Amino acid sequence: MRKKLDGATKALEREILEGKYKPGDRLPSERALSLRYGVSRSTLREGIRHLAGLGLVRTEAQSGTYVTDYRSEASLEFLLYLLDNNEPLDPEIFRAVNELREILEAGCASRAAARSTPDRVRELRAALEALRAAEGDPERLAARDYEFHALFVEQADNLALRLLFHAFRSIYMFYVRQFYSEPENAPATFAQLERFVKRIEASDETGAASALSLALAYGRDRVYRSLSLDSR
């Protein structure tokens, strides 16, 4: 039952995201959809409730189920669902997620600088050295990069920011694997992050945020170029 539900839900979700059903379109009847996907009508209703919870559809009594414009009506839960389930993202969402991550990390950098201690700086330097030691191995570089960024986000001492950062893990890992697939990118990043750590050590909130933003902008430009995306 669960497998059938998941299969039907995924199939309908994919058709909506790929534009087979456009915003404002009424979906076919429950009977037609249940026959198409090979599930019972009760299973189909459960799948539609799930999609409604994500903001992809809405059901109107005595009228039917309509596709919504998820770009304007879906919730953060929908975005996190896409990330958690490794769903492909269109370029607009990919850019938007990375812009949100940059804003979040810059804020965390400032907070981490304000809360800097010698022990915390040592932790950051150790994480940066672990990143340097992984040079030449894109997979290890990606893992160590995530750990470095997660560390200063943790040092910002804000649970909500930490949870939101980790919610981006799947897209973050795709992003940094793409970045480190070009060996020449690593040395520049090491130097940029070294400057960032020095700003943390100096408790320079503005300088830390600025140094990190420069490092993130460099990464964004390199990744977008490799993916043939404009960085706007």
Side-chain angles (χ1 to χ4, degrees), residues 60-102:
E60 298 180 3
Q62 309 302 316
S63 180
T65 299
Y66 295 84
V67 176
T68 62
D69 183 353
Y70 69 87
R71 287 180 174 82
S72 61
E73 298 185 39
S75 65
L76 178 62
E77 182 183 358
F78 172 63
L79 176 59
L80 298 182
Y81 167 81
L82 291 179
L83 299 178
D84 191 49
N85 287 274
N86 296 311
E87 294 287 349
L89 300 180
D90 69 27
E92 180 183 351
I93 296 179
F94 184 76
R95 278 191 291 265
V97 169
N98 280 294
E99 287 174 9
L100 176 59
R101 184 177 70 85
E102 290 178 18

Side-chain angles (χ1 to χ4, degrees), residues 86-156:
N86 296 311
E87 294 287 349
L89 300 180
D90 69 27
E92 180 183 351
I93 296 179
F94 184 76
R95 278 191 291 265
V97 169
N98 280 294
E99 287 174 9
L100 176 59
R101 184 177 70 85
E102 290 178 18
I103 293 168
L104 182 149
E105 288 199 39
C108 288
S110 179
R111 290 177 60 88
R115 293 159 177 74
S116 176
T117 67
D119 284 345
R120 288 186 167 190
V121 172
R122 278 192 289 272
E123 290 175 353
L124 280 175
R125 291 201 178 282
L128 181 54
E129 286 310 305
L131 177 62
R132 292 182 193 275
E135 187 171 5
D137 185 335
E139 193 64 30
R140 285 182 60 227
L141 276 167
R144 299 294 85 79
D145 187 284
Y146 184 84
E147 290 168 2
F148 177 86
H149 286 253
L151 178 59
F152 75 76
V153 168
E154 181 178 343
Q155 291 181 356

Side-chain angles (χ1 to χ4, degrees), residues 1-215:
M1 168 73 95
R2 186 78 238 175
K3 187 173 182 180
K4 284 189 174 183
L5 170 62
D6 290 344
T9 304
K10 285 279 189 185
L12 184 53
E13 170 197 303
R14 180 59 41 218
E15 290 178 346
I16 292 171
L17 293 177
E18 290 178 351
K20 179 174 181 178
Y21 299 113
K22 295 180 169 49
D25 286 353
R26 184 170 68 178
L27 292 180
S29 67
E30 286 184 358
R31 181 175 182 278
L33 289 174
S34 62
L35 287 173
R36 177 190 299 176
Y37 301 130
V39 297
S40 68
R41 292 174 69 171
S42 61
T43 297
L44 179 70
R45 285 191 206 104
E46 187 175 347
I48 287 176
R49 281 196 295 272
H50 171 73
L51 296 180
L54 293 175
L56 288 177
V57 300
R58 70 176 186 278
T59 299
E60 298 180 3
Q62 309 302 316
S63 180
T65 299
Y66 295 84
V67 176
T68 62
D69 183 353
Y70 69 87
R71 287 180 174 82
S72 61
E73 298 185 39
S75 65
L76 178 62
E77 182 183 358
F78 172 63
L79 176 59
L80 298 182
Y81 167 81
L82 291 179
L83 299 178
D84 191 49
N85 287 274
N86 296 311
E87 294 287 349
L89 300 180
D90 69 27
E92 180 183 351
I93 296 179
F94 184 76
R95 278 191 291 265
V97 169
N98 280 294
E99 287 174 9
L100 176 59
R101 184 177 70 85
E102 290 178 18
I103 293 168
L104 182 149
E105 288 199 39
C108 288
S110 179
R111 290 177 60 88
R115 293 159 177 74
S116 176
T117 67
D119 284 345
R120 288 186 167 190
V121 172
R122 278 192 289 272
E123 290 175 353
L124 280 175
R125 291 201 178 282
L128 181 54
E129 286 310 305
L131 177 62
R132 292 182 193 275
E135 187 171 5
D137 185 335
E139 193 64 30
R140 285 182 60 227
L141 276 167
R144 299 294 85 79
D145 187 284
Y146 184 84
E147 290 168 2
F148 177 86
H149 286 253
L151 178 59
F152 75 76
V153 168
E154 181 178 343
Q155 291 181 356
D157 292 335
N158 183 290
L159 177 59
L161 292 173
R162 187 162 68 247
L163 294 177
L164 188 56
F165 173 81
H166 287 302
F168 296 151
R169 181 182 174 87
S170 59
I171 196 170
Y172 188 109
M173 294 304 292
F174 167 79
Y175 187 92
V176 291
R177 286 186 185 110
Q178 187 73 27
F179 177 75
Y180 287 117
S181 67
E182 297 182 6
E184 66 272 18
N185 289 341
T189 291
F190 299 158
Q192 290 161 351
L193 294 180
E194 177 63 36
R195 289 192 286 272
F196 164 66
V197 172
K198 287 180 178 177
R199 293 300 87 212
I200 292 285
E201 185 174 27
S203 299
D204 180 355
E205 298 174 43
T206 301
S210 177
L212 184 71
S213 292
L214 287 174

